[in-house]
Amino acid sequence: MPHPLPERVGDAVALLTGTRTVRCPQPGCRVSVRYRHVAPDEAKRLIDLATDHTRH
């Protein structure tokens, strides 16, 4: 299921400001994490958190 238009617009604006958005791949799950200017270890931790549906 595609994400609603307001979420996609928000993701585009975030991308323009240098912010990365990671969403949970589970269908119907609306969890997302946005981050900017973090260390590589912290970025990996945030990506793992967002993409592991069992953790949220």
Side-chain angles (χ1 to χ4, degrees):
M1 174 178 172
H3 297 290
L5 183 60
E7 287 182 17
R8 293 183 2 205
V9 169
D11 291 349
V13 170
L15 187 60
L16 290 173
T17 64
T19 303
R20 173 113 191 257
T21 303
V22 182
R23 296 192 180 281
C24 177
Q26 183 75 21
C29 184
R30 309 264 326 254
V31 170
S32 66
V33 173
R34 284 191 178 158
Y35 64 89
R36 180 171 80 172
H37 302 298
V38 298
D41 290 340
E42 179 66 4
K44 182 182 180 335
R45 186 186 75 78
L46 293 171
I47 291 168
D48 291 345
L49 179 65
T51 57
D52 185 357
H53 187 69
T54 63
R55 294 176 67 186
H56 54 265

